Amino acid sequence: MRLKSSGIAVCFVLMIATTSYAADKKVKKSELPAAVQKAAEEQSSGATVVGYATEQEKGQTLYEVRLRSNGHSKDVSMDASGKVLEIEEEVALDSLRPGVQKGLAAAAAKGKLGKVESLTKGGKLVAYEAVVVTKGKRSEVQVGPNGEQLSHEE
């Protein structure tokens, strides 16, 4: 029985590792569909392109352009037609409204807040996301545009 449990645990770890690896694959610009290349060029105006990636989400291939702009990161996710689906843009915690800062601090509990990003979908700000370090372990928390708790992760 012990050997069977160990085998199941190993399979589970391998499954997670494989899923994580498949979730984000670096690619060259030339490997992107023409519409995605065009949209990436538009989105990267005034920024430095750090790289490109693809990932599978719910059976759909998504494309991402990773940018550096004014000293912060910006990731733009698109579908194969070049439609922008989501933008994750790094923001300074102290630049956020007090309600958002309080919401993130409450969500982090006793953890230390790290990198904060705004999440925009369909051209609308839907959440803020922050890295939290608690006793050496990293996790992420999200709050709504006004610092409120979310009923689901964005």
Side-chain angles (χ1 to χ4, degrees), residues 19-147:
T19 302
S20 296
Y21 176 75
D24 195 14
K25 179 183 171 194
K26 291 181 182 181
V27 295
K28 295 177 184 174
K29 183 178 179 181
S30 61
E31 296 175 90
L32 301 173
V36 174
Q37 287 183 36
K38 182 178 182 206
E41 286 174 18
E42 292 168 0
Q43 290 294 318
S44 64
S45 178
T48 302
V49 175
V50 176
Y52 304 94
T54 64
E55 68 177 326
Q56 293 293 315
E57 190 173 295
K58 297 178 184 173
Q60 180 183 14
T61 301
L62 300 180
Y63 302 88
E64 184 174 84
V65 58
R66 296 180 178 148
L67 306 168
R68 194 93 185 135
S69 177
N70 298 320
H72 67 269
S73 63
K74 181 177 178 180
D75 297 337
V76 181
S77 296
M78 298 166 262
D79 65 14
S81 73
K83 178 182 176 189
V84 174
L85 303 174
E86 180 179 81
I87 298 174
E88 296 179 1
E89 188 165 3
E90 185 177 357
V91 294
L93 179 62
D94 61 4
S95 73
L96 300 174
R97 293 186 311 275
V100 176
Q101 291 181 36
K102 282 183 180 181
L104 286 169
K110 295 183 181 185
K112 182 178 178 181
L113 288 170
K115 179 180 176 179
V116 179
E117 294 178 320
S118 62
L119 301 178
T120 303
K121 292 184 179 180
K124 181 181 176 189
L125 175 67
V126 295
Y128 290 98
E129 179 176 82
V131 171
V132 177
V133 179
T134 308
K135 296 181 182 178
K137 293 187 179 185
R138 287 176 46 115
S139 61
E140 290 184 344
V141 296
Q142 287 187 351
V143 297
N146 297 309

